[in-house]
Structures are given as structure tokens and as C-alpha cells.
Amino acid sequence: MALLWALAVLSLLPLLDAQSPECANLMTAAPISNATMDWLSGKWFYIGSAFRNAEYNESARAIQAAFFYFEPRHAEDKLIVREYQTIADKCVYNCSYINIYRQNGTLSKFETDREHFADLLLSNHFRTFMLAASWNGTKNVGVSFYADKPEVTQEQKKEFLDVIKCIGIQESEIIYTDEKKDACGPLQKQHEEERKKETEGS
């Protein structure tokens, strides 16, 4: 799953309160406002992640490239998400929704009969964000990183690396995607043409 949701409701935020230089510039998104949801609207690329949880590591290693679209539903506290993932050189498409817990800055998604949670973390750089969580404390922490372009600047990457260091994960544990391996371009184009025809016909 491209968004790599957390496996439990335990929050990573207490760990981020540590007084370390790597944690200094990190901002949590609580509370999530309509403006935050609008900011998240549009196309995002999954850049990379680092997870101590074995199940999520396996999922991350399977994803060669991934991008997705967020479409906010303010009144419902939801984000519609259209995901395009390249796995084993094939495009996998999925349309679902994400629940927004506004007060604590948490996002969740139902998969495999479970609700998976992640804290939304905003960076100082426009058009990047991270999802973070922990499972049973520091032994199973994890962070995934997203940007509005398939390649990030060195400054954007440094912020991701700072968060990784902040929660005690080694840089060698990061798994990156490769946009050159994307196999979803044709399907995305097909979907865009179909949506355009639907809009013109309405």
C-alpha cells in the first residue's frame, strides 16, 4: 500500500518531543483544518520510507514506484484517495478514502478489516509531508515521505533524514522508490481522459 499506514493507534508524537536538533523543525498538523485538507489536495508521489515493523518493510520493498491523488470532503472529514502503485513491473490501481481525525492530526484507513492510523507531519518546505507512527514504542517506529514531484531537493530530503534520525532509525534502513520504474502512466492518462469526458458530459 503506497501510503504505508501504521498498524496501531499508538502515537509517535511523544517521541518527537525530544529536545534534539533533528526534531526542532518538525511540525505536527494538529488540528487539521479545511485549509490543511485543501493543501493536501492534488497529486503526490511516495518518495521513500523507513519502518521497523516487518510487515510494513515487506510492503515498502514491493513498491517500485507510487503516486496518488487526494480529494478532500470537508463535511465528511475524509480524503478520497486514488492510488497508482507499480509492483512487480505492473500497475496496481485502487480508489478508497481516508478518515481525518482533526483534533489530534491523525489520518486513518481501513484495510484488511483493520483501521490503520498515522500522524500527519508537515515540513517547513512547501508541498512535502510525512506520515509517522509507532507500534509498542520505539522498537517499531516508522515514517513515510511524500512530495508533489517524483524527485525532491536536497533540503527536502534533509528534513526527511532529520526525522529519521529524530526517531532513532538509521539512514541505511530507508527504502526509496524509483520513478523511472513507474508503469502506471498509461492507466493514469486513460483515467484522466475518462474523467474529462464525464465532466464535459455533465
Side-chain angles (χ1 to χ4, degrees):
M1 43 189 146
L3 296 180
L4 296 175
W5 297 97
L7 296 177
V9 299
L10 296 176
S11 175
L12 181 68
L13 299 184
L15 301 177
L16 299 176
D17 289 334
Q19 298 298 315
S20 67
E22 291 84 4
C23 303
N25 295 322
L26 189 63
M27 296 186 297
T28 61
I32 295 176
S33 64
N34 284 350
T36 307
M37 293 175 68
D38 290 339
W39 184 87
L40 287 168
S41 178
K43 186 176 183 179
W44 296 95
F45 293 86
Y46 165 49
I47 304 299
S49 62
F51 289 94
R52 292 281 173 82
N53 181 278
E55 180 180 344
Y56 268 58
N57 255 330
E58 184 178 352
S59 296
R61 291 185 186 282
I63 299 171
Q64 297 167 287
F67 60 89
F68 55 93
Y69 293 84
F70 278 151
E71 185 178 336
R73 294 285 190 271
H74 298 147
E76 303 170 31
D77 290 343
K78 296 182 187 300
L79 290 170
I80 304 301
V81 56
R82 294 179 286 121
E83 300 177 77
Y84 296 82
Q85 304 174 65
T86 301
I87 299 174
D89 299 320
K90 295 181 181 179
C91 181
V92 179
Y93 173 74
N94 181 53
C95 183
S96 58
Y97 68 89
I98 292 167
N99 293 307
I100 304 293
Y101 293 89
R102 291 176 179 262
Q103 290 305 310
N104 61 9
T106 301
L107 283 62
S108 78
K109 186 177 181 182
F110 279 96
E111 286 189 1
T112 59
D113 298 322
R114 290 181 294 175
E115 187 173 13
H116 309 285
F117 292 79
D119 293 315
L120 175 62
L121 308 179
L122 301 181
S123 76
N124 290 329
H125 292 281
F126 194 58
R127 306 308 290 170
T128 65
F129 72 92
M130 288 169 263
L131 295 175
S134 67
W135 310 266
N136 300 320
T138 59
K139 291 184 178 179
N140 285 302
V141 294
V143 178
S144 50
F145 180 42
Y146 309 89
D148 68 339
K149 294 180 175 59
E151 295 183 1
V152 295
T153 66
Q154 288 301 312
E155 281 187 315
Q156 291 170 330
K157 184 177 180 180
K158 182 180 183 301
E159 279 200 339
F160 173 52
L161 296 178
D162 283 348
V163 174
I164 292 296
K165 293 176 183 176
C166 170
I167 63 176
I169 294 180
Q170 300 298 315
E171 189 173 341
S172 59
E173 297 178 70
I174 299 173
I175 301 168
Y176 289 105
T177 57
D178 184 355
E179 193 265 341
K180 295 178 182 178
K181 296 181 179 179
D182 173 59
C184 291
L187 181 60
Q188 178 201 17
K189 185 177 180 180
Q190 177 187 327
H191 286 171
E192 287 180 347
E193 292 174 351
E194 291 172 353
R195 288 167 67 88
K196 185 178 179 180
K197 290 179 180 178
E198 288 176 2
T199 301
E200 292 173 348
S202 60

